[in-house]
Amino acid sequence: MILNETEVRQALANFPDWISSGQTINTTYKFRDFIEAIEFVNKLVAPSEKAGHHPDITISYNRVTIHLSTHDAGGITQKDFALAEEIVKIAKSFQ
C-alpha cells in the first residue's frame, strides 16, 4: 500500500539523513574511499535479497546514494522504510 505524503513525512522523522523526492526516499553516505564505499554496497545485497526489495544505487568514488521506491506498488511503501532501517544499521557499522 502506497503511503501518502503525511505518512511519508511521519516515517522520515525516524530517518534524519533521508529525504523524499517524488516517489522515492533517498540518502547519501560518504566513506573514506572507493573501496569502503563498495564494501558498504556489498553489505546491502543480503538484506535486499531477503526482503525481495532492491534499492537503486549510485556510486561516485566515496559517495553512495540510495534511492528506495516500491516499483511494483508505484510509490513509497512501508517496505522502503523497512529496508532503509537495515541500510542505516549497516552504515553505522562503517562509522
XYZ file of all heavy atoms in Angstrom:
755
model
N 0.838 -1.182 0.000
C 0.000 0.000 0.000
C 0.883 1.246 0.000
O 1.770 1.395 0.847
C -0.901 -0.037 1.228
C -1.804 1.120 1.358
S -2.824 0.864 2.833
C -4.224 1.778 2.381
N 0.654 2.124 -0.939
C 1.431 3.356 -1.046
C 1.110 4.271 0.134
O -0.053 4.444 0.493
C 1.113 4.085 -2.366
C 1.560 3.240 -3.557
C 1.805 5.443 -2.411
C 1.177 3.830 -4.884
N 2.162 4.838 0.713
C 1.985 5.785 1.810
C 1.671 7.164 1.249
O 2.237 7.567 0.226
C 3.255 5.846 2.657
C 3.723 4.531 3.278
C 5.040 4.729 4.015
C 2.670 3.964 4.211
N 0.803 7.894 1.928
C 0.523 9.255 1.481
C 1.628 10.190 1.981
O 2.497 9.783 2.757
C -0.880 9.712 1.906
C -1.049 9.820 3.403
O -0.147 10.260 4.121
N -2.214 9.415 3.898
N 1.584 11.419 1.557
C 2.643 12.386 1.887
C 2.823 12.565 3.397
O 3.936 12.642 3.904
C 2.324 13.738 1.232
C 3.449 14.736 1.321
C 3.141 16.013 0.572
O 2.517 15.959 -0.500
O 3.546 17.081 1.078
N 1.727 12.614 4.124
C 1.799 12.763 5.584
C 2.458 11.545 6.220
O 3.314 11.684 7.097
C 0.385 12.972 6.168
O -0.181 14.150 5.582
C 0.429 13.124 7.679
N 2.095 10.360 5.774
C 2.686 9.132 6.313
C 4.188 9.059 6.009
O 4.980 8.650 6.858
C 1.970 7.905 5.750
C 0.541 7.771 6.228
C -0.255 6.739 5.454
O -0.068 6.624 4.214
O -1.072 6.043 6.089
N 4.562 9.478 4.817
C 5.984 9.501 4.442
C 6.729 10.478 5.346
O 7.790 10.158 5.889
C 6.176 9.859 2.953
C 7.644 10.128 2.638
C 5.626 8.753 2.060
N 6.184 11.674 5.522
C 6.818 12.681 6.383
C 6.977 12.166 7.813
O 8.019 12.345 8.434
C 5.993 13.968 6.368
C 6.787 15.179 5.984
C 6.042 16.503 6.079
N 4.622 16.506 6.328
C 3.685 16.600 5.391
N 4.029 16.699 4.128
N 2.412 16.614 5.704
N 5.938 11.519 8.321
C 5.998 10.979 9.682
C 7.062 9.889 9.789
O 7.810 9.848 10.757
C 4.626 10.427 10.090
C 3.610 11.506 10.335
C 2.200 10.944 10.547
O 1.901 9.806 10.183
N 1.330 11.759 11.125
N 7.130 9.011 8.824
C 8.129 7.939 8.846
C 9.540 8.505 8.709
O 10.470 8.019 9.362
C 7.837 6.933 7.737
N 9.704 9.533 7.892
C 11.030 10.143 7.708
C 11.543 10.803 8.983
O 12.755 10.999 9.124
C 11.008 11.161 6.564
C 11.054 10.581 5.162
C 10.847 11.691 4.135
C 12.354 9.845 4.900
N 10.661 11.108 9.911
C 11.090 11.693 11.186
C 12.042 10.749 11.916
O 12.878 11.193 12.697
C 9.884 12.013 12.060
N 11.949 9.452 11.635
C 12.841 8.461 12.233
C 14.117 8.244 11.425
O 14.965 7.437 11.808
C 12.107 7.117 12.375
C 10.917 7.231 13.290
O 11.006 7.809 14.358
N 9.795 6.687 12.859
N 14.243 8.937 10.302
C 15.378 8.787 9.399
C 15.914 10.178 9.029
O 15.690 10.661 7.917
C 14.954 8.034 8.127
C 14.472 6.639 8.394
C 13.141 6.388 8.697
C 15.354 5.576 8.355
C 12.697 5.096 8.962
C 14.929 4.287 8.618
C 13.598 4.050 8.921
N 16.629 10.816 9.951
C 17.026 12.209 9.733
C 17.935 12.453 8.523
O 17.959 13.565 8.007
C 17.735 12.591 11.034
C 18.100 11.308 11.674
C 17.092 10.297 11.229
N 18.625 11.435 8.055
C 19.518 11.624 6.906
C 18.855 11.286 5.578
O 19.504 11.305 4.535
C 20.787 10.774 7.080
C 21.601 11.222 8.280
O 21.577 12.424 8.608
O 22.253 10.362 8.900
N 17.589 10.977 5.604
C 16.847 10.607 4.400
C 15.862 11.715 4.044
O 15.350 12.421 4.908
C 16.074 9.310 4.637
C 16.946 8.098 4.769
C 17.761 7.783 5.819
C 17.080 7.049 3.825
N 18.388 6.590 5.579
C 17.993 6.107 4.361
C 16.518 6.791 2.576
C 18.356 4.951 3.693
C 16.871 5.628 1.916
C 17.779 4.726 2.465
N 15.589 11.849 2.749
C 14.601 12.808 2.254
C 13.671 12.099 1.274
O 14.012 11.046 0.735
C 15.258 14.020 1.559
C 16.079 13.576 0.350
C 16.113 14.816 2.535
C 16.491 14.703 -0.574
N 12.534 12.690 1.053
C 11.664 12.170 0.000
C 11.818 13.070 -1.223
O 12.038 14.276 -1.107
C 10.203 12.130 0.455
O 9.721 13.421 0.692
N 11.725 12.429 -2.363
C 11.810 13.150 -3.630
C 10.908 12.420 -4.621
O 11.244 11.311 -5.066
C 13.263 13.181 -4.133
O 13.336 13.809 -5.385
N 9.780 13.005 -4.898
C 8.823 12.337 -5.780
C 8.350 11.037 -5.172
O 7.837 11.010 -4.054
N 8.587 9.949 -5.865
C 8.128 8.637 -5.422
C 9.244 7.809 -4.783
O 9.175 6.572 -4.763
C 7.531 7.873 -6.612
C 6.330 8.547 -7.217
C 5.205 8.732 -6.215
O 4.837 7.801 -5.504
N 4.655 9.930 -6.143
N 10.285 8.483 -4.261
C 11.401 7.771 -3.638
C 11.794 8.419 -2.319
O 11.493 9.592 -2.076
C 12.658 7.747 -4.534
O 13.151 9.073 -4.687
C 12.372 7.143 -5.892
N 12.484 7.622 -1.485
C 13.198 8.186 -0.347
C 14.676 7.957 -0.636
O 15.051 6.937 -1.225
C 12.754 7.580 1.005
C 12.917 6.065 1.043
C 11.335 8.005 1.334
C 12.680 5.435 2.416
N 15.508 8.927 -0.263
C 16.907 8.921 -0.677
C 17.838 9.341 0.450
O 17.458 10.130 1.317
C 17.124 9.931 -1.814
C 16.067 9.860 -2.872
O 15.920 8.851 -3.526
N 15.313 10.934 -3.022
N 19.051 8.859 0.362
C 20.116 9.308 1.246
C 21.445 9.130 0.540
O 21.552 8.347 -0.415
C 20.111 8.549 2.587
O 20.953 9.227 3.511
C 20.572 7.110 2.437
N 22.453 9.849 1.013
C 23.818 9.697 0.505
C 24.755 9.512 1.676
O 24.677 10.246 2.667
C 24.257 10.935 -0.320
O 23.373 11.077 -1.435
C 25.688 10.785 -0.813
N 25.622 8.518 1.559
C 26.643 8.258 2.561
C 28.012 8.537 1.953
O 28.242 8.254 0.776
C 26.596 6.802 3.030
C 25.357 6.463 3.808
C 24.335 5.715 3.231
C 25.202 6.886 5.123
C 23.196 5.399 3.952
C 24.058 6.582 5.847
C 23.071 5.837 5.250
O 21.941 5.534 5.966
N 28.905 9.068 2.782
C 30.276 9.343 2.353
C 31.215 8.425 3.137
O 31.106 8.324 4.361
C 30.638 10.805 2.608
C 32.008 11.179 2.096
C 32.280 12.658 2.309
C 33.676 12.995 1.820
N 33.982 14.403 2.067
N 32.133 7.794 2.421
C 33.074 6.860 3.018
C 34.506 7.352 2.823
O 34.746 8.324 2.110
C 32.877 5.470 2.389
C 31.502 4.940 2.639
C 30.478 5.147 1.724
C 31.207 4.279 3.814
C 29.197 4.696 1.968
C 29.923 3.824 4.071
C 28.921 4.025 3.143
N 35.452 6.669 3.461
C 36.862 7.070 3.368
C 37.365 7.071 1.931
O 38.112 7.957 1.524
C 37.754 6.116 4.182
C 37.799 6.370 5.645
C 38.883 5.537 6.306
N 38.975 4.200 5.733
C 38.706 3.076 6.376
N 38.350 3.106 7.632
N 38.804 1.917 5.766
N 36.968 6.039 1.193
C 37.478 5.880 -0.169
C 36.537 4.984 -0.966
O 35.505 4.527 -0.457
C 38.905 5.305 -0.158
C 39.041 4.027 0.643
O 38.051 3.269 0.766
O 40.141 3.766 1.160
N 36.907 4.717 -2.203
C 36.103 3.896 -3.097
C 35.943 2.473 -2.561
O 34.859 1.904 -2.610
C 36.748 3.877 -4.488
C 35.996 3.059 -5.499
C 34.798 3.514 -6.028
C 36.505 1.841 -5.939
C 34.111 2.755 -6.968
C 35.828 1.088 -6.879
C 34.623 1.546 -7.396
N 37.001 1.909 -2.035
C 36.955 0.536 -1.524
C 35.933 0.406 -0.404
O 35.127 -0.531 -0.390
C 38.357 0.066 -1.069
C 39.259 -0.055 -2.292
C 38.284 -1.246 -0.310
C 40.715 -0.269 -1.982
N 35.945 1.343 0.526
C 34.977 1.292 1.621
C 33.549 1.477 1.100
O 32.615 0.826 1.590
C 35.308 2.344 2.680
C 34.463 2.183 3.933
C 34.891 3.087 5.057
O 34.479 4.269 5.040
O 35.638 2.631 5.934
N 33.375 2.342 0.099
C 32.044 2.548 -0.492
C 31.524 1.244 -1.101
O 30.358 0.876 -0.902
C 32.092 3.651 -1.545
N 32.393 0.532 -1.792
C 31.992 -0.736 -2.412
C 31.712 -1.793 -1.342
O 30.766 -2.580 -1.460
C 33.066 -1.217 -3.405
C 33.169 -0.235 -4.590
C 32.776 -2.631 -3.897
C 31.890 -0.041 -5.376
N 32.497 -1.818 -0.282
C 32.243 -2.749 0.822
C 30.847 -2.509 1.409
O 30.119 -3.459 1.713
C 33.310 -2.612 1.909
C 34.653 -3.157 1.500
C 35.768 -2.853 2.495
O 35.526 -2.149 3.508
O 36.895 -3.319 2.257
N 30.489 -1.249 1.573
C 29.159 -0.898 2.076
C 28.080 -1.428 1.131
O 27.130 -2.089 1.566
C 29.041 0.620 2.240
C 27.639 1.103 2.476
C 27.000 0.887 3.685
C 26.953 1.798 1.486
C 25.702 1.336 3.909
C 25.666 2.260 1.694
C 25.038 2.027 2.912
N 28.230 -1.147 -0.157
C 27.235 -1.593 -1.133
C 27.109 -3.116 -1.108
O 25.996 -3.656 -1.146
C 27.584 -1.075 -2.547
C 26.698 -1.732 -3.606
C 27.447 0.441 -2.610
N 28.226 -3.813 -1.013
C 28.180 -5.275 -0.969
C 27.404 -5.785 0.242
O 26.729 -6.812 0.163
C 29.589 -5.862 -0.989
C 30.229 -5.766 -2.358
O 29.547 -5.691 -3.372
N 31.550 -5.770 -2.383
N 27.450 -5.062 1.353
C 26.718 -5.472 2.550
C 25.202 -5.256 2.402
O 24.427 -5.761 3.194
C 27.252 -4.750 3.782
C 28.624 -5.259 4.196
C 29.048 -4.643 5.495
C 30.412 -5.144 5.876
N 30.372 -6.288 6.741
N 24.798 -4.511 1.392
C 23.374 -4.282 1.151
C 22.715 -5.440 0.413
O 21.488 -5.557 0.410
C 23.168 -2.998 0.343
C 23.707 -1.704 0.932
C 23.387 -0.536 0.009
C 23.164 -1.466 2.322
N 23.525 -6.303 -0.185
C 22.986 -7.387 -1.017
C 22.103 -8.331 -0.213
O 20.963 -8.599 -0.596
C 24.123 -8.148 -1.728
C 23.583 -9.369 -2.464
C 24.865 -7.223 -2.686
N 22.613 -8.862 0.891
C 21.864 -9.873 1.655
C 20.519 -9.351 2.170
O 19.491 -10.009 1.947
C 22.717 -10.425 2.795
N 20.482 -8.196 2.849
C 19.168 -7.739 3.322
C 18.209 -7.372 2.182
O 16.995 -7.557 2.307
C 19.481 -6.536 4.212
C 20.872 -6.143 3.909
C 21.555 -7.341 3.337
N 18.754 -6.895 1.073
C 17.896 -6.560 -0.072
C 17.294 -7.823 -0.673
O 16.104 -7.862 -0.995
C 18.699 -5.805 -1.129
O 19.169 -4.583 -0.625
N 18.116 -8.853 -0.814
C 17.625 -10.124 -1.341
C 16.605 -10.744 -0.399
O 15.567 -11.242 -0.833
C 18.788 -11.095 -1.560
C 19.581 -10.821 -2.818
C 18.751 -11.047 -4.080
O 18.163 -12.134 -4.253
O 18.684 -10.112 -4.900
N 16.898 -10.710 0.894
C 15.989 -11.286 1.887
C 14.619 -10.606 1.829
O 13.583 -11.261 1.923
C 16.580 -11.152 3.283
C 15.741 -11.773 4.369
C 16.400 -11.654 5.724
C 15.503 -12.256 6.794
N 16.077 -12.101 8.130
N 14.634 -9.293 1.655
C 13.383 -8.529 1.596
C 12.722 -8.606 0.221
O 11.569 -8.219 0.067
C 13.652 -7.068 1.960
N 13.466 -9.086 -0.776
C 12.933 -9.067 -2.141
C 12.687 -7.651 -2.600
O 11.763 -7.362 -3.352
N 13.551 -6.757 -2.142
C 13.387 -5.319 -2.402
C 14.768 -4.733 -2.674
O 15.643 -4.804 -1.821
C 12.744 -4.661 -1.183
C 12.281 -3.265 -1.416
N 11.476 -2.920 -2.470
C 12.496 -2.126 -0.716
C 11.215 -1.628 -2.406
N 11.826 -1.124 -1.358
N 14.951 -4.181 -3.840
C 16.281 -3.785 -4.278
C 16.376 -2.281 -4.514
O 15.599 -1.727 -5.286
C 16.653 -4.555 -5.541
C 16.532 -6.034 -5.326
N 15.396 -6.735 -5.674
C 17.371 -6.908 -4.744
C 15.563 -7.999 -5.326
N 16.753 -8.141 -4.762
N 17.326 -1.641 -3.833
C 17.478 -0.190 -3.989
C 18.141 0.171 -5.315
O 18.865 -0.638 -5.903
C 18.404 0.181 -2.819
C 19.210 -1.044 -2.573
C 18.289 -2.199 -2.880
N 17.883 1.373 -5.762
C 18.653 1.954 -6.859
C 19.849 2.619 -6.197
O 19.692 3.390 -5.239
C 17.830 2.976 -7.636
C 16.672 2.328 -8.387
O 16.845 1.178 -8.853
O 15.608 2.949 -8.499
N 21.047 2.308 -6.672
C 22.276 2.765 -6.031
C 23.153 3.480 -7.056
O 23.361 2.979 -8.156
C 23.057 1.571 -5.442
C 22.206 0.833 -4.416
C 24.376 2.021 -4.838
C 22.790 -0.492 -3.957
N 23.690 4.628 -6.644
C 24.655 5.359 -7.450
C 25.935 5.477 -6.634
O 25.907 5.890 -5.473
C 24.141 6.780 -7.779
O 22.879 6.673 -8.419
C 25.121 7.522 -8.673
N 27.051 5.093 -7.250
C 28.348 5.187 -6.589
C 29.190 6.211 -7.334
O 29.347 6.132 -8.545
C 29.073 3.826 -6.588
C 28.195 2.761 -5.945
C 30.433 3.928 -5.898
C 28.658 1.343 -6.200
N 29.721 7.158 -6.585
C 30.630 8.152 -7.148
C 31.823 8.265 -6.207
O 31.755 8.939 -5.171
C 29.929 9.508 -7.287
O 30.809 10.459 -7.832
N 32.875 7.549 -6.537
C 34.086 7.409 -5.750
C 33.770 6.980 -4.318
O 33.561 5.799 -4.083
C 34.956 8.670 -5.798
C 36.239 8.520 -4.996
C 37.162 7.526 -5.309
C 36.488 9.319 -3.902
C 38.314 7.351 -4.544
C 37.641 9.156 -3.145
C 38.551 8.169 -3.465
O 39.676 8.001 -2.706
N 33.710 7.911 -3.369
C 33.483 7.533 -1.970
C 32.067 7.875 -1.494
O 31.778 7.816 -0.312
C 34.515 8.187 -1.056
C 34.375 9.697 -0.987
O 33.836 10.330 -1.895
N 34.877 10.281 0.083
N 31.188 8.208 -2.410
C 29.802 8.548 -2.062
C 28.856 7.511 -2.662
O 28.981 7.154 -3.834
C 29.424 9.927 -2.588
C 30.170 11.043 -1.906
C 29.736 12.399 -2.473
N 30.577 13.455 -1.981
C 30.361 14.134 -0.867
N 29.303 13.863 -0.127
N 31.188 15.088 -0.495
N 27.921 7.081 -1.823
C 26.911 6.125 -2.262
C 25.549 6.751 -2.007
O 25.222 7.109 -0.879
C 27.031 4.786 -1.496
C 25.911 3.838 -1.907
C 28.401 4.154 -1.714
N 24.776 6.900 -3.071
C 23.424 7.436 -2.957
C 22.443 6.292 -3.174
O 22.575 5.524 -4.126
C 23.187 8.558 -3.977
O 24.151 9.598 -3.747
C 21.787 9.133 -3.855
N 21.484 6.214 -2.280
C 20.493 5.140 -2.314
C 19.113 5.747 -2.519
O 18.739 6.706 -1.840
C 20.527 4.336 -0.997
C 21.914 3.734 -0.828
C 19.435 3.275 -0.983
C 22.165 3.162 0.530
N 18.382 5.174 -3.456
C 17.006 5.580 -3.752
C 16.115 4.358 -3.517
O 16.367 3.306 -4.095
C 16.855 6.021 -5.208
C 17.804 7.095 -5.619
N 17.521 8.429 -5.478
C 19.042 7.031 -6.162
C 18.546 9.133 -5.926
N 19.476 8.307 -6.333
N 15.110 4.524 -2.690
C 14.172 3.437 -2.430
C 12.778 3.821 -2.886
O 12.295 4.920 -2.596
C 14.132 3.103 -0.936
C 15.394 2.501 -0.336
C 15.248 2.376 1.180
C 15.694 1.157 -0.956
N 12.155 2.900 -3.590
C 10.767 3.040 -4.021
C 10.251 1.631 -4.278
O 10.996 0.769 -4.738
C 10.677 3.860 -5.303
O 9.330 4.007 -5.718
N 9.010 1.390 -3.968
C 8.418 0.090 -4.255
C 7.821 0.181 -5.656
O 6.691 0.634 -5.838
C 7.361 -0.286 -3.199
O 7.968 -0.188 -1.903
C 6.849 -1.701 -3.417
N 8.636 -0.200 -6.640
C 8.265 -0.006 -8.043
C 6.956 -0.695 -8.410
O 6.122 -0.105 -9.105
C 9.392 -0.480 -8.957
C 10.675 0.244 -8.732
N 10.851 1.574 -9.039
C 11.850 -0.173 -8.195
C 12.067 1.957 -8.712
N 12.703 0.918 -8.197
N 6.754 -1.927 -7.927
C 5.528 -2.634 -8.307
C 4.277 -2.021 -7.678
O 3.170 -2.208 -8.172
C 5.618 -4.134 -8.020
C 5.938 -4.476 -6.576
O 6.348 -3.584 -5.808
O 5.776 -5.650 -6.204
N 4.455 -1.252 -6.593
C 3.310 -0.558 -5.981
C 3.147 0.838 -6.569
O 2.097 1.457 -6.423
C 3.484 -0.459 -4.473
N 4.202 1.351 -7.190
C 4.131 2.672 -7.804
C 4.402 3.824 -6.859
O 3.941 4.937 -7.093
N 5.165 3.586 -5.791
C 5.484 4.680 -4.872
C 6.174 4.177 -3.620
O 6.730 3.083 -3.584
N 6.119 4.998 -2.596
C 6.783 4.698 -1.328
C 5.840 3.887 -0.444
O 4.688 4.277 -0.240
C 7.194 6.004 -0.618
C 8.126 6.824 -1.519
C 7.861 5.707 0.717
C 8.349 8.257 -1.054
N 6.367 2.773 0.082
C 5.580 1.923 0.968
C 6.371 1.654 2.248
O 7.544 2.026 2.352
C 5.235 0.576 0.308
O 6.444 -0.184 0.163
C 4.550 0.750 -1.038
N 5.754 0.948 3.163
C 6.438 0.565 4.394
C 7.652 -0.308 4.092
O 8.624 -0.303 4.835
C 5.460 -0.156 5.332
C 6.028 -0.399 6.708
C 6.515 0.887 7.381
O 5.855 1.924 7.345
N 7.689 0.833 7.979
N 7.614 -1.024 2.994
C 8.734 -1.869 2.572
C 10.006 -1.030 2.399
O 11.102 -1.470 2.730
C 8.352 -2.560 1.257
C 9.129 -3.770 0.909
C 8.488 -4.443 -0.310
C 9.164 -5.754 -0.593
N 8.589 -6.456 -1.720
N 9.853 0.187 1.899
C 11.001 1.081 1.708
C 11.601 1.487 3.047
O 12.820 1.503 3.205
C 10.591 2.319 0.901
C 10.086 1.943 -0.471
O 10.841 1.293 -1.214
O 8.932 2.258 -0.784
N 10.756 1.772 4.008
C 11.258 2.168 5.324
C 11.874 0.996 6.082
O 12.835 1.175 6.817
C 10.165 2.876 6.128
C 9.896 4.253 5.613
C 8.796 4.513 4.815
C 10.772 5.296 5.897
C 8.563 5.786 4.313
C 10.548 6.566 5.402
C 9.442 6.813 4.603
N 11.353 -0.202 5.867
C 11.949 -1.380 6.495
C 13.362 -1.606 5.967
O 14.298 -1.873 6.734
C 11.077 -2.604 6.257
N 13.553 -1.463 4.656
C 14.894 -1.627 4.089
C 15.788 -0.457 4.482
O 16.976 -0.649 4.771
C 14.837 -1.782 2.568
C 16.175 -2.094 1.894
C 16.854 -3.328 2.499
C 15.977 -2.268 0.389
N 15.236 0.745 4.544
C 16.026 1.907 4.974
C 16.571 1.684 6.379
O 17.717 2.029 6.674
C 15.174 3.179 4.929
N 15.772 1.075 7.238
C 16.222 0.787 8.604
C 17.427 -0.150 8.595
O 18.400 0.065 9.324
C 15.076 0.178 9.408
C 15.406 -0.021 10.859
C 14.205 -0.471 11.672
O 13.073 -0.485 11.148
O 14.405 -0.821 12.846
N 17.395 -1.154 7.747
C 18.530 -2.077 7.622
C 19.754 -1.360 7.063
O 20.884 -1.579 7.517
C 18.162 -3.266 6.728
C 17.121 -4.173 7.330
C 17.552 -4.782 8.650
O 18.708 -5.244 8.747
O 16.743 -4.781 9.596
N 19.544 -0.491 6.102
C 20.643 0.258 5.490
C 21.306 1.171 6.517
O 22.535 1.264 6.576
C 20.141 1.045 4.257
C 19.765 0.064 3.140
C 21.179 2.060 3.788
C 19.009 0.682 1.980
N 20.512 1.830 7.336
C 21.051 2.708 8.383
C 21.933 1.902 9.337
O 23.019 2.338 9.714
C 19.914 3.438 9.132
C 20.425 4.118 10.383
C 19.230 4.444 8.209
N 21.475 0.719 9.738
C 22.262 -0.136 10.635
C 23.603 -0.497 9.999
O 24.643 -0.458 10.660
C 21.498 -1.411 10.981
C 20.325 -1.210 11.888
C 19.591 -2.526 12.099
C 18.277 -2.328 12.811
N 17.500 -3.586 12.874
N 23.575 -0.851 8.738
C 24.812 -1.205 8.037
C 25.729 -0.003 7.941
O 26.938 -0.101 8.188
C 24.485 -1.783 6.638
C 23.771 -3.130 6.787
C 25.758 -1.920 5.808
C 23.123 -3.634 5.526
N 25.183 1.163 7.612
C 26.001 2.380 7.510
C 26.674 2.719 8.823
O 27.844 3.147 8.843
C 25.149 3.541 7.009
N 25.967 2.511 9.928
C 26.541 2.807 11.239
C 27.748 1.938 11.538
O 28.650 2.353 12.267
C 25.488 2.649 12.337
C 24.503 3.798 12.359
C 23.496 3.646 13.474
C 22.537 4.834 13.448
N 21.542 4.741 14.496
N 27.801 0.758 10.981
C 28.943 -0.136 11.215
C 30.221 0.379 10.531
O 31.308 -0.092 10.823
C 28.623 -1.559 10.754
O 28.625 -1.656 9.336
N 30.071 1.377 9.658
C 31.231 1.956 8.968
C 31.715 3.233 9.650
O 32.697 3.824 9.224
C 30.881 2.253 7.509
C 30.876 1.027 6.656
C 29.748 0.236 6.549
C 32.011 0.646 5.960
C 29.741 -0.903 5.786
C 32.020 -0.487 5.181
C 30.881 -1.273 5.090
N 31.045 3.671 10.696
C 31.424 4.927 11.343
C 32.479 4.699 12.394
O 32.640 3.731 13.012
C 30.208 5.605 11.958
C 29.220 6.022 10.905
C 27.941 6.594 11.488
O 27.644 6.453 12.664
N 27.164 7.257 10.653
